[in-house]
Amino acid sequence: MRVNAVIQARTGSTRLPGKVLTDLGGTPVLDRVVAAARAAEGVDRVVVATSTAAGDDAVAERAAALGAPVVRGSEDDVLARFVQAADEHPCDAVVRLTADCPLLDPALVSLVAATWRDAPDHDYVATTLVRTLPRGLDVELARTGALRELAGTATGYDRIHVTSGLYGAPERFRCLGLVVAPAADDLRVTLDTADDLHALQGLVEALGGRSDWRSVVAVLRSRPDLVERNAHVRQKSLAEG
């Protein structure tokens, strides 16, 4: 069974434009996400899915420079972009990653991919059904057939958020969630605002080259000053896009 990782990336963020190409510790954020996906076991190919908007030419160029296949499609219909990625790079399941998660842990990607391979009758396997990891370490896997089925009926924000139509309909799609303990879902290591960037800059410096999720949690638990840098940032709801 073939599993591809698809990284959705665009420059048109409303709160921090160009964030996916921002330098973090000497490395562009997109580079970090691509490298982490490539380091994961059980991932056959890493694809960057961006839009056809002129502003995303830079994303496509950076991905190409990294040697990653690039798919370009609708800016707003991200679900269609994922189906397009599966059409152009056939696979049995897709690991959905977002390019604003620069501390992605390859071990978590590997775990999700391995879990699905052991239970391939599931349509959706993720660390987010019951959130116990810091926001920004999310890993979701969707069976390609389920994505195609969803794409035929999804409307509204389900076309923007790709997987919400899967976990939002457990009577229709079989879902499996992975959790860790102790929970650390109160922490935030995603990049959505300037304050997130400030927090991540301090965190990357404190990590000193480490990148596993346990080290991320340990550093933040020992450095409340870093946590405070973006503790006030509110995550947008699904309806807000």
Side-chain angles (χ1 to χ4, degrees), residues 219-229:
V219 168
L220 290 176
R221 292 298 187 215
S222 68
R223 291 284 305 276
D225 59 305
L226 294 179
V227 176
E228 283 300 313
R229 291 184 182 185

Side-chain angles (χ1 to χ4, degrees), residues 32 102-106 137 207-216:
R32 288 176 172 270
L103 296 184
L104 178 69
D105 187 345
L137 298 182
L207 283 167
R210 292 172 293 167
S211 61
D212 63 286
W213 71 267
R214 290 181 179 83
S215 293
V216 169

Side-chain angles (χ1 to χ4, degrees), residues 3-8 29-49 66 68-69 94-99 101-113 117 136-140 211:
V3 176
N4 289 350
V6 177
I7 302 168
Q8 64 183 74
V29 169
L30 180 61
D31 294 36
R32 288 176 172 270
V33 180
V34 170
R38 282 176 168 166
E41 296 180 4
V43 171
D44 295 288
R45 177 170 291 180
V46 178
V47 179
V48 174
L66 295 171
V94 170
V95 175
R96 179 199 177 212
L97 304 172
T98 59
C101 296
L103 296 184
L104 178 69
D105 187 345
L108 293 174
V109 180
S110 302
L111 176 61
V112 169
R117 288 180 189 276
L137 298 182
D138 310 333
V139 181
E140 301 175 281
S211 61

Side-chain angles (χ1 to χ4, degrees), residues 5-209:
V6 177
I7 302 168
Q8 64 183 74
R10 66 185 185 96
T11 58
S13 167
T14 56
R15 297 206 280 188
L16 189 62
K19 62 182 179 179
V20 302
L21 299 177
T22 298
D23 178 89
L24 180 60
T27 303
V29 169
L30 180 61
D31 294 36
R32 288 176 172 270
V33 180
V34 170
R38 282 176 168 166
E41 296 180 4
V43 171
D44 295 288
R45 177 170 291 180
V46 178
V47 179
V48 174
T50 192
S51 84
T52 54
D56 287 330
D57 289 350
V59 173
E61 291 168 4
R62 187 60 201 165
L66 295 171
V70 179
V71 169
R72 303 190 69 170
S74 170
E75 184 174 18
D76 298 320
D77 191 347
V78 190
L79 175 56
R81 212 189 304 166
F82 270 72
V83 172
Q84 180 183 344
D87 287 341
E88 296 185 19
H89 303 279
C91 56
D92 300 290
V94 170
V95 175
R96 179 199 177 212
L97 304 172
T98 59
D100 55 3
C101 296
L103 296 184
L104 178 69
D105 187 345
L108 293 174
V109 180
S110 302
L111 176 61
V112 169
T115 299
W116 180 77
R117 288 180 189 276
D118 285 341
D121 55 329
H122 286 84
D123 299 305
Y124 179 76
V125 179
T127 63
T128 52
L129 280 175
V130 177
R131 189 178 292 277
T132 56
L133 286 162
R135 187 174 291 276
L137 298 182
D138 310 333
V139 181
E140 301 175 281
L141 178 149
R143 189 175 58 81
T144 303
L147 276 183
R148 294 187 193 282
E149 181 182 342
L150 178 63
T153 59
T155 59
Y157 63 67
D158 286 337
R159 303 207 71 88
I160 298 172
H161 295 285
V162 184
T163 56
S164 57
L166 298 177
Y167 61 76
E171 72 288 349
R172 180 181 174 192
F173 299 103
R174 296 194 65 184
C175 302
L176 178 64
L178 304 179
V179 299
V180 302
D185 54 304
D186 57 307
L187 302 174
R188 178 181 177 87
V189 294
T190 191
L191 177 59
D192 198 32
T193 70
D195 288 336
D196 288 331
L197 180 59
H198 187 212
L200 285 164
Q201 288 168 334
L203 178 55
V204 166
E205 182 179 358
L207 283 167

